[in-house]
Amino acid sequence: MPARSWIPLLAAVIVAAGCIRLGLWQLDRLEQRRERNATIAAAFRENPISAERAMRNSVARFRRVSVSGRWDYARETTVGGRTRNGSPGVHIVTPLILENETE
């Protein structure tokens, strides 16, 4: 057997070990993602809280909030470069004036 015939075998073993390690890393990321998705889903299932309470409480992340007010159509704007189901378009953003705020 020539002296350099083991080099391709060694390279193949190193590449295979790297691929196995990357696969395990992906499985670990999948578990982390599932835990995070479960946390977010649990927050969405809880009853809505007031927006004022949500702004004071950083733990309220991903919680639904409820507010009262009126839409300010005069300051409506669009955000371009958006897609929906693969179709190009824009998002229309309309500010909400809260009941306890003045213009």
Side-chain angles (χ1 to χ4, degrees):
M1 190 186 282
R4 295 188 185 257
S5 65
W6 57 271
I7 292 176
L9 178 62
L10 179 63
V13 168
I14 290 172
V15 169
C19 289
I20 290 170
R21 179 63 190 118
L22 288 173
L24 294 173
W25 172 65
Q26 285 291 337
L27 291 174
D28 184 49
R29 286 189 60 216
L30 174 64
E31 184 59 33
Q32 292 171 3
R33 184 67 160 247
R34 285 180 175 163
E35 289 173 5
R36 180 178 171 170
N37 289 347
T39 301
I40 292 170
F44 279 143
R45 283 191 299 271
E46 293 183 22
N47 290 331
I49 59 176
S50 69
E52 293 82 16
R53 183 175 163 207
M55 286 188 283
R56 289 191 311 263
N57 185 357
S58 64
V59 178
R61 190 170 182 189
F62 301 113
R63 288 284 305 267
R64 293 180 299 149
V65 298
S66 61
V67 295
S68 297
R70 59 185 171 82
W71 297 112
D72 186 2
Y73 294 108
R75 294 191 352 216
E76 191 171 74
T77 187
T78 59
V79 180
R82 304 296 181 208
T83 62
R84 181 175 178 161
N85 299 329
S87 297
V90 297
H91 285 177
I92 299 174
V93 180
T94 307
L96 179 70
I97 299 174
L98 301 178
E99 283 182 345
N100 56 357
E101 289 185 11
T102 60
E103 292 184 37

